[in-house]
Amino acid sequence: MNSAPQTAEISVTETNRLTPEKLQIRWKGFAPTVVIVSGIALGGLYALGTRGGTQGLWMMLILGVTLGLTMTAAGMSWAGTIALAENAKKGLLFVLFPPYTLWRVIVRYDIFWQSMLVFVLGLIISFGCVWIASEGLKSQFAS
């Protein structure tokens, strides 16, 4: 009797393989919800900055940049995961070579649009808060 353990071959089936399509959110309300929630967040940060004096401006700046950069990092991480799931070589180029990232997003807009929406809204929140804070601080120190 042979008592050696038998090794089973592990195969990756199509149902277990991570594909770009599986990384998409299939909810039709995704885009409007993300845009509206980001707009509400930016509006609240704007109200904090304009009504809170210097301390409010600094709070708006810290909170807004933190929120915006978190969204930007989340969007780019999501996009990188999609690119790596699609093809390892193209995924590494996507992550490591920014001009290719832009090209790939344009060419495969159908799979990257959700992650890029989160990325761009994060940039808008970050730069918007920096701009609002700089204008507010300029006007406070000018008087």
Side-chain angles (χ1 to χ4, degrees):
M1 199 168 261
N2 188 359
S3 63
Q6 295 181 2
T7 58
E9 281 193 41
I10 300 172
S11 65
V12 176
T13 62
E14 285 300 314
T15 58
N16 292 337
R17 186 172 178 272
L18 187 63
T19 62
E21 290 76 23
K22 288 182 181 178
L23 293 168
Q24 298 297 304
I25 295 175
R26 291 179 182 21
W27 179 44
K28 291 187 185 274
F30 172 79
T33 302
V34 171
V35 170
I36 290 169
V37 170
S38 297
I40 291 170
L42 186 58
L45 289 164
Y46 177 77
L48 175 67
T50 56
R51 302 201 192 324
T54 305
Q55 187 177 15
L57 281 170
W58 285 109
M59 286 290 291
M60 179 210 56
L61 182 63
I62 292 167
L63 292 174
V65 170
T66 302
L67 173 64
L69 291 180
T70 301
M71 287 176 66
T72 300
M76 189 49 75
S77 297
W78 185 6
T81 304
I82 292 170
L84 287 167
E86 187 177 25
N87 181 324
K89 184 173 115 179
K90 290 178 181 179
L92 285 175
L93 281 172
F94 183 92
V95 172
L96 300 174
F97 192 58
Y100 183 77
T101 302
L102 180 61
W103 171 254
R104 196 77 189 136
V105 166
I106 292 169
V107 170
R108 290 300 311 267
Y109 178 78
D110 58 321
I111 63 170
F112 288 110
W113 75 269
Q114 292 174 332
S115 57
M116 287 298 106
L117 178 65
V118 174
F119 176 82
V120 169
L121 288 173
L123 288 178
I124 290 170
I125 290 172
S126 291
F127 286 116
C129 286
V130 169
W131 181 74
I132 293 166
S134 66
E135 292 298 316
L137 290 172
K138 268 195 265 183
S139 67
Q140 283 186 1
F141 288 123
S143 15

